[in-house]
Amino acid sequence: MDLEHARRVAVEAALAAGAVLRESAPGAVAVHHKGGSGDVVTDLDLAAEKLILDRIRAEFPSHRIVAEESGVHGGDRTDGGWTWLVDPLDGTNNVAIGLPAYVVGLALCADARPVLGVVHEPLSGRTWSAVSGAGARGPAGPLTGPPRRDLRHGPVLAWTQGHGVSRSDPAARSLKMTMDARARRVLQLWAPLLCWAMLARGDIDGMIGYRAEGLDLPAGALIAREAGVEIRGLDGGPFEASAEGPPEDRSFVAAPPALVGDLLDLVAEARRLAPALPPL
């Protein structure tokens, strides 16, 4: 498998999908409710997803694809366990209310582990990508690690949670309350891939995820990790950014290595505030 070729295909597909989104998102968008959590889907999601699927199928006809809106294509894993994850519009809720914060995301996984990730921001035209073990790239070239920032007033953190997490979830509430108390700002952008890109390029200082969605996790986490970000489970142990497994396996802290300990302390404080919590 030529991962550089796969990266080029993924970047080109993301750019093409981004062009569709960029041209149509400012206008009236048909919004449809999806599931019972308040999530939505638009006609733009469907159009961008079809374009990406067509390009991946043309280049890698034996690969399995898991797409946000249309589900699984290709049945059981074939061709050595290669699986594409496609999020054609990460930030649909933002588009639905006219907020210009959304991206296109693709990941290629080998036996559930991400080996390639691409995130494209249509409005700015910027793209970030990474190949496992080969580093991350941004619009200006290789990402060499998030720069040091002034943290005298606390870090700027992003929060993400899975669609299945209820508003009354005690662990989520305790974590968010502690973040609000210790961070300078807490971002909840409804577009986790955009947050991963911001973390990889150093615009924010860290990110905490609680039972995150599996489809958009691998691409962003790989780009951030290849850019020098460290990712741990909430217990401080190793974290595998896989789309598979239960939601409980997708809770994490992510930051430059020097700040990971601070985020783990934050998690420990959240537990002290609510000692009856189940494992975070």
Side-chain angles (χ1 to χ4, degrees):
M1 182 67 184
D2 183 347
L3 290 178
E4 274 302 317
H5 171 65
R7 189 190 70 81
R8 289 191 295 271
V9 171
V11 167
E12 290 170 2
L15 289 172
V20 171
L21 299 176
R22 186 174 59 251
E23 292 167 4
S24 304
V29 177
V31 178
H32 314 281
H33 290 284
K34 181 174 72 172
S37 64
D39 201 15
V40 298
V41 61
T42 71
D43 292 344
L44 292 180
D45 296 73
L46 303 176
E49 182 171 289
K50 183 180 184 306
L51 188 156
I52 294 170
L53 291 179
D54 288 346
R55 294 200 174 209
I56 293 175
R57 286 190 188 118
E59 289 288 336
F60 308 104
S62 63
H63 287 194
R64 180 175 179 254
I65 306 173
V66 182
E68 172 75 15
E69 308 304 338
S70 57
V72 179
H73 302 260
D76 295 332
R77 290 189 186 88
T78 57
D79 197 13
W82 299 104
T83 299
W84 289 89
L85 307 176
V86 177
D87 193 343
L89 176 48
D90 185 36
T92 301
N93 284 280
N94 295 337
V95 171
I97 63 173
L99 181 65
Y102 58 91
V103 293
V104 180
L106 292 88
L108 175 61
C109 300
D111 295 325
R113 294 188 175 187
V115 295
L116 165 65
V118 172
V119 172
H120 173 64
E121 188 176 44
L123 289 178
S124 68
R126 296 181 296 178
T127 304
W128 300 269
S129 65
V131 170
S132 181
R137 304 179 194 177
L143 298 178
T144 56
R148 283 188 170 274
R149 289 161 51 93
D150 183 355
L151 301 180
R152 284 175 295 176
H153 303 292
V156 177
L157 303 177
W159 164 265
T160 183
Q161 67 183 51
H163 297 313
V165 177
S166 71
R167 295 185 180 184
S168 61
D169 186 288
R173 294 178 68 177
S174 182
L175 283 167
K176 288 194 286 186
M177 180 177 66
T178 308
M179 290 174 71
D180 284 335
R182 294 185 59 161
R184 179 157 59 94
R185 295 287 188 275
V186 177
L187 306 181
Q188 299 183 60
L189 293 184
W190 296 350
L193 282 172
L194 178 56
C195 294
W196 282 114
M198 294 174 71
L199 180 57
R201 64 186 188 238
D203 294 341
I204 61 175
D205 304 303
M207 185 172 177
I208 295 180
Y210 178 66
R211 301 188 176 189
E213 289 298 303
L215 196 69
D216 51 32
L217 173 64
L222 179 63
I223 292 170
R225 183 168 271 157
E226 290 291 326
V229 170
E230 187 173 343
I231 310 174
R232 302 268 197 93
L234 295 187
D235 61 356
F239 180 77
E240 185 64 53
S242 172
E244 301 187 2
E248 292 80 5
D249 292 344
R250 296 195 292 270
S251 296
F252 61 86
V253 300
L259 293 180
V260 168
D262 291 344
L263 293 194
L264 291 174
D265 287 345
L266 186 157
V267 173
E269 181 176 338
R271 174 165 287 286
R272 287 194 296 271
L273 290 172
L277 288 180
L280 293 176

